Amino acid sequence: MRTGTTALCFATVFFCVIGFASHTARYATAAVSAADQSDLVVTGATLIDGTGTASRPGTTIVVRDGRIASVAADGEAEIPSGATVIDAAGKFVIPGLTDTHVHFGLGSPVARQPDTIDKVLGRLLYYGVTSILQLGATGGSTDSINALVERRAEGTLQAPYIYGTGGHLTLHGTHPVYTIFPSSVQAFADSLSAATPMNDPVDLYSLGIGVSFVRTKEAARKAVQERAAGGMHAIKITVESGPTPFGDDHPQMSVEMIRTIVDEAAQHGLRVFAHVTSLDELEAAMEGGAAGVVHTVERPPFPDAALAQKMADANFVVVPTISIYAGLVSLWYVDEPFSLDDSFLTETVSTEQVAALRNPRFIQGFRRSGTVHVEPGIDPAHANRIRMDDLLSNVGMLHDRGVPMALGTDTGNPYVFPGFSVHRELELLVQAGLTPMEALEMGTRNAAELIGVGDEVGTIEAGKRADFLVLDKNPLDDIRNTRTLEMVISEGRLVDRKALLGSVKSGIR
Ligand SMILES: [Zn+2]
């Protein structure tokens, strides 16, 4: 008996008509371009470099022009004159974290109160997330992403390094527009679709939605070409036909269509990642040649070790995105999936927002919008524990079989908090059976490799972008020690976290 499945990117139902949030705010802290900075040197730290090698105590990292110039034992490094030196004796340095599953314009954990995109990006950086991969949904046209990239480069936006897919490619009639959006939006989308030639993609950007319908192969090729021309880093598709709560009657993208998109993307050096939530969708994505999937199979326990082996052999990447299941999806069963009094969370989330998430009207509204079957007589909290156990065991099994995995959270949905949820995802990965080192690698090196920028970032090695964090306590002893974050270095610049906090704290507007 099913006890429920998932609604992904669910929040779009609340925010779809609000669209891409305003991004006019300016921060008090002026950013300094990397070239203008003096050299930065961090000494004495225990280095966990993200390559998987053992941690190295007493390490000096020299940063120049936004890049790591050298990594050496204390005393062996040449300290440039005039450098800013940070004594990190007794501290721990890890690569900056990367969230590979982020949606723009859905920033607030509270329905109908979206934060500005600036706040979302600032909060990610505050929590040590130095790179993100945007994956479609609300906002998310190539132009809107490139505008953010430009503002960040100018120094008027405090943000992680932004990689993007632009709007995601999906079929007319399925997720997300025809699963979780109001019928009024669907009617708009229908009329746009009717007015668009079949061989053109139907872009929903004018509705504030980062989605394009592709109804023919030619339209799909055009959509990929537009994203490639716009400088995007990957292509996101939706392969979703249910089961509940989206229903089972939505069209699923065919293997042939997936193959067409993959083929076109490959001609531009781009890889394709698919949203899936069930086993058959995952198999279709694989057969069509996608490079990986975001989300995974929640229930029942992943039955097919042979498939996992096939995924591992094909280097097929999974972004398990446990945070959405352990947060928003769990809200179907329990009133508060995890404590909103967590002090690490309330650093950036106001008491008003916590109250709004606890509001029974919000919770009931969410539950009414989906179809979850809890067997009569079964305690919902118990049902939730079973499904979470299944999910965690699925993730552990994929990991044990050697399936490559990277960290993502689905930030942009309620109960997935920008930045905070990256730390929470690390904890959930350890609960799934990974070691703290393996979980960290998912959020650093593996994430960079998924985006295709493993040569550029993701580990702390000479020549790479200087994105790293200083922690007070050892995350290998306890993964929750990533919460002892003291410093964020982004492209060689020490982020003023205190000033940033003043700008990004969430509030009810
Ligand atoms: Zn998502």
Side-chain angles (χ1 to χ4, degrees):
M1 170 69 71
R2 280 200 92 77
T3 53
T5 61
T6 56
L8 292 315
C9 311
F10 182 89
T12 41
V13 72
F14 298 116
F15 302 138
C16 56
V17 290
I18 295 164
F20 197 63
S22 128
H23 50 69
T24 53
R26 292 290 182 272
Y27 291 100
T29 316
V32 179
S33 78
D36 296 337
Q37 295 171 68
S38 65
D39 296 339
L40 179 74
V41 178
V42 177
T43 64
T46 296
L47 177 66
I48 300 159
D49 66 11
T51 65
T53 56
S55 54
R56 283 179 277 168
T59 301
T60 295
I61 304 162
V62 177
V63 172
R64 182 171 303 135
D65 297 337
R67 302 246 151 207
I68 295 166
S70 68
V71 180
D74 288 341
E76 289 177 16
E78 209 173 299
I79 312 279
S81 62
T84 303
V85 179
I86 295 170
D87 178 4
K91 312 285 184 191
F92 298 83
V93 169
I94 63 171
L97 298 167
T98 295
D99 190 340
T100 66
H101 191 164
V102 171
H103 301 293
F104 287 167
L106 307 176
S108 172
V110 179
R112 296 188 180 84
Q113 297 289 344
D115 283 320
T116 64
I117 189 66
D118 288 36
K119 279 193 176 185
V120 171
L121 292 167
R123 268 201 268 167
L124 284 159
L125 189 61
Y126 174 80
Y127 281 112
V129 179
T130 51
S131 297
I132 55 166
L133 178 64
Q134 169 275 348
L135 288 181
T138 301
S141 69
T142 53
D143 285 350
S144 64
I145 290 157
N146 286 328
L148 293 169
V149 169
E150 210 169 291
R151 288 181 53 225
R152 182 182 180 278
E154 287 167 3
T156 55
L157 175 68
Q158 296 255 52
Y161 199 97
I162 299 167
Y163 300 100
T165 65
H168 64 258
L169 277 53
T170 186
L171 300 182
H172 186 194
T174 186
H175 186 67
V177 177
Y178 296 85
T179 50
I180 58 176
F181 278 55
S183 54
S184 56
V185 172
Q186 293 170 9
F188 262 127
D190 287 344
S191 61
L192 262 180
S193 191
T196 307
M198 283 300 283
N199 286 336
D200 285 345
V202 183
D203 298 328
L204 303 190
Y205 302 135
S206 62
L207 301 178
I209 302 171
V211 165
S212 299
F213 298 150
V214 290
R215 296 166 297 174
T216 62
K217 288 183 192 168
E218 195 179 330
R221 287 191 184 277
K222 280 185 191 168
V224 172
Q225 287 159 12
E226 283 165 9
R227 284 152 179 77
M232 296 297 102
H233 300 88
I235 299 295
K236 160 91 180 286
I237 61 173
T238 295
V239 182
E240 172 67 66
S241 58
T244 57
F246 298 143
D248 297 321
D249 53 348
H250 301 291
Q252 180 173 318
M253 190 177 278
S254 68
V255 170
E256 215 185 334
M257 178 63 105
I258 299 168
R259 206 171 276 138
T260 301
I261 294 168
V262 168
D263 176 66
E264 184 65 37
Q267 292 184 37
H268 303 277
L270 300 177
R271 297 194 301 160
V272 176
F273 295 95
H275 160 112
V276 304
T277 57
S278 65
L279 204 53
D280 62 323
E281 293 158 11
L282 187 149
E283 285 177 309
M286 238 189 126
E287 204 185 329
V293 288
V294 298
H295 305 300
T296 181
V297 180
E298 184 191 12
R299 293 213 69 199
F302 205 84
D304 196 339
L307 176 63
Q309 195 58 52
K310 201 171 137 198
M311 293 161 73
D313 293 345
N315 213 24
F316 189 77
V317 188
V318 174
V319 179
T321 316
I322 308 171
S323 291
I324 190 75
Y325 303 95
L328 182 65
V329 178
S330 291
L331 194 61
W332 262 306
Y333 305 87
V334 290
D335 287 352
E336 191 161 318
F338 56 89
S339 175
L340 297 173
D341 295 323
D342 186 324
S343 61
F344 193 54
L345 172 64
T346 55
E347 281 180 40
T348 60
V349 173
S350 66
T351 49
E352 292 91 340
Q353 284 206 319
V354 169
L357 279 174
R358 285 175 171 155
N359 185 330
R361 283 176 60 194
F362 166 70
I363 296 169
Q364 291 312 320
F366 172 76
R367 289 181 185 159
R368 268 199 302 276
S369 63
T371 313
V372 167
H373 308 287
V374 178
E375 211 172 330
I378 300 260
D379 168 31
H382 179 66
N384 191 44
R385 274 198 301 279
I386 291 171
R387 52 171 280 284
M388 281 309 301
D389 285 349
D390 284 350
L391 173 63
L392 293 174
S393 96
N394 285 349
V395 173
M397 195 277 259
L398 291 172
H399 174 73
D400 289 346
R401 292 277 162 177
V403 177
M405 297 200 295
L407 183 150
T409 63
D410 223 345
T411 273
N413 285 283
Y415 259 103
V416 183
F417 298 91
F420 167 85
S421 287
V422 171
H423 295 264
R424 186 167 149 73
E425 184 80 15
L426 289 169
E427 290 168 35
L428 292 163
L429 290 167
V430 170
Q431 283 176 31
L434 280 73
T435 64
M437 181 74 107
E438 289 165 343
L440 283 175
E441 284 166 17
M442 275 183 63
T444 56
R445 183 192 60 195
N446 297 9
E449 286 175 354
L450 176 145
I451 301 167
V453 293
D455 292 342
E456 169 76 8
V457 70
T459 59
I460 301 176
E461 296 175 283
K464 294 211 167 163
R465 195 161 75 222
D467 289 354
F468 57 88
L469 315 178
V470 179
L471 312 178
D472 185 44
K473 292 190 178 145
N474 190 351
L476 303 184
D477 289 345
D478 178 352
I479 195 62
R480 283 174 64 90
N481 285 341
T482 59
R483 291 164 165 243
T484 65
L485 180 61
E486 291 190 345
M487 293 177 207
V488 176
I489 288 91
S490 168
E491 283 197 88
R493 185 175 56 85
L494 180 63
V495 174
D496 186 345
R497 294 180 72 230
K498 204 173 163 201
L500 192 55
L501 187 58
S503 319
V504 303
K505 182 147 181 167
S506 212
I508 296 287
R509 291 180 294 133

